[in-house]
Amino acid sequence: MSDKDCLFCKIIAGEIPAEKIYENDYVLAFKDIQPASPHHYLIIPKIHKASLQEFVDGDQQVLGELMLAAPKIAQEQGFAEAGYRTVVNTGKDGGQTVFHLHMHLLAGREHQWPPG
Ligand code: AMP
Ligand code: ZN
């Protein structure tokens, strides 16, 4: 369920500090250490899966909880109305650097499209 060498599993276990902002049985959200926007959070599943590519039929609940955390956090943090960007980077070409699935939640400025 967890990977002893995984940075985000260590955050879940409380072995590495993080500024947690939201948690339920399935997911945890905390502030990104290098914010790319005034609000920048990472929403992660509490089970270790390296990327979106590892998810299969049967993982609907955890993926649903991951996605549903975004509007809840947006409401709590006060940027639901202004809007926000959600991003999941997958693998090398996706720009993924930490291999425990995470959804970026970015807000507090206008974001451009397409991304770099
Ligand atoms: P990605 O490039 O999509 O894999 O994003 C990984 C994100 O994790 C980056 O935005 C990093 O700033 C962030 N990050 C790396 N280490 C930590 C940490 N210890 N606490 C919070 N965020 C982190
Ligand atoms: Zn992990």
Side-chain angles (χ1 to χ4, degrees), residues 23-116:
E23 183 169 16
N24 68 21
D25 287 348
Y26 298 92
V27 302
L28 175 68
F30 52 91
K31 288 190 181 177
D32 195 292
I33 205 166
Q34 280 191 296
S37 299
H39 290 270
H40 188 173
Y41 308 114
L42 300 174
I43 306 168
I44 67 172
K46 288 187 170 178
I47 53 164
H48 178 84
K49 298 259 193 185
S51 80
L52 187 60
Q53 203 55 34
E54 289 198 354
F55 285 77
V56 295
D57 287 344
D59 291 329
Q60 283 90 343
Q61 177 131 35
V62 66
L63 286 175
E65 293 284 347
L66 195 85
M67 194 61 96
L68 283 168
K72 290 176 188 166
I73 294 165
Q75 198 66 44
E76 286 175 9
Q77 298 291 328
F79 55 78
E81 197 174 329
Y84 50 91
R85 169 74 51 85
T86 46
V87 178
V88 177
N89 296 326
T90 302
K92 181 178 74 66
D93 281 2
Q96 187 177 4
T97 60
V98 176
F99 287 86
H100 178 127
L101 175 74
H102 49 281
M103 185 164 73
H104 295 259
L105 174 56
L106 302 132
R109 66 175 172 91
E110 220 170 277
H111 293 82
Q112 307 304 312
W113 194 263

